[in-house]
Amino acid sequence: MASYMKKAQEFVDSKNPFTDVLQQVQDKTGIKKLYQFLALCGVAVLWLVVGYGASLVCGIIGFAYPSYRSLKALESSDWKDDQQWLVYWVVYAAFILVEIFADIFLSWIPFYFLMKTGFLVWCMIPGESNGSMILYNKFIRPFFLKHEKKIDQLVDKGMSRAHELKDEASDIAHNVKDQATEYAVREGIKQMSEKKDE
């Protein structure tokens, strides 16, 4: 527990927009940043357990913070943080694919969004216990390397089919445009001839 408190203290002592807001609140109220952060974590956990919109809170935690960290990583000169967040997004995408197909069962699990948020936080924590690196190295990378050629073939086939569909849609759009133009011209000529006859 002490190590988690130490990490929480390190986080609130770091410089970022979130901790800047915590600092402003501390300056105005006298409530320490660490206590504010822990209170916010407590509210988030309670909301994930009983609150309406738990999916939204889970999504913000699992998507907004990693997006911010990914942008910061892209702007830094260190390639290790780029790798960490790229691996996170690969694991996140794999998790979402599984979740899409298992959603009908997952929605019946009590405290699902709390567990999902815990999983996503585990996937984004820095250090050796980073969940996304563990899952990537144990499951995703071996699966990908084993099936890479098949996956490439499926992607190429899908892209080819997408181009065919785009071309077919373009042809249909041109045909509709030509027919609409012909109809408009015919109707215009018809109305002009009716006006002349009057």
Side-chain angles (χ1 to χ4, degrees), residues 27-94:
D27 293 343
K28 290 184 180 182
T29 64
I31 301 171
K32 291 184 179 182
K33 292 189 293 185
L34 178 63
Y35 297 147
Q36 294 174 52
F37 175 70
L38 294 174
L40 288 172
C41 289
V43 168
V45 167
L46 283 173
W47 195 333
L48 289 167
V49 171
V50 295
Y52 182 75
S55 174
L56 176 65
V57 173
C58 180
I60 288 171
I61 292 169
F63 191 79
Y65 178 74
S67 296
Y68 168 75
R69 296 304 303 170
S70 297
L71 289 170
K72 295 288 282 184
L74 288 172
E75 296 303 319
S76 75
S77 59
D78 183 14
W79 64 269
K80 288 183 181 180
D81 57 356
D82 297 357
Q83 181 186 28
Q84 175 193 345
W85 291 108
L86 187 57
V87 169
Y88 173 84
W89 290 114
V90 169
V91 171
Y92 184 84

Side-chain angles (χ1 to χ4, degrees), residues 182-195:
E182 286 177 27
Y183 177 77
V185 168
R186 270 197 319 267
E187 286 299 310
I189 292 172
K190 184 178 172 183
Q191 287 179 5
M192 288 175 60
S193 65
E194 287 174 357
K195 283 185 180 178

Side-chain angles (χ1 to χ4, degrees), residues 60-168:
I60 288 171
I61 292 169
F63 191 79
Y65 178 74
S67 296
Y68 168 75
R69 296 304 303 170
S70 297
L71 289 170
K72 295 288 282 184
L74 288 172
E75 296 303 319
S76 75
S77 59
D78 183 14
W79 64 269
K80 288 183 181 180
D81 57 356
D82 297 357
Q83 181 186 28
Q84 175 193 345
W85 291 108
L86 187 57
V87 169
Y88 173 84
W89 290 114
V90 169
V91 171
Y92 184 84
F95 176 74
I96 294 300
L97 284 174
V98 170
E99 187 181 43
I100 288 169
F101 294 107
D103 186 47
I104 194 163
F105 305 110
L106 296 174
S107 62
W108 288 91
I109 297 173
F111 312 119
Y112 170 68
F113 289 109
L114 179 61
M115 290 186 286
K116 178 180 174 182
T117 302
F119 169 77
L120 293 174
V121 168
W122 175 63
C123 285
M124 65 178 89
I125 59 172
E128 292 182 19
S129 57
N130 179 285
S132 55
M133 285 299 216
I134 293 169
L135 293 172
Y136 177 77
N137 289 322
K138 268 195 165 174
F139 301 106
I140 296 172
R141 186 171 187 268
F143 177 85
F144 176 74
L145 293 176
K146 182 178 179 182
H147 301 286
E148 184 175 5
K149 287 182 182 174
K150 290 178 187 174
I151 294 169
D152 286 343
Q153 290 171 350
L154 282 172
V155 169
D156 290 344
K157 190 175 182 180
M159 292 298 291
S160 175
R161 182 65 183 138
H163 287 297
E164 290 172 13
L165 289 173
K166 179 194 68 109
D167 292 341
E168 289 174 20

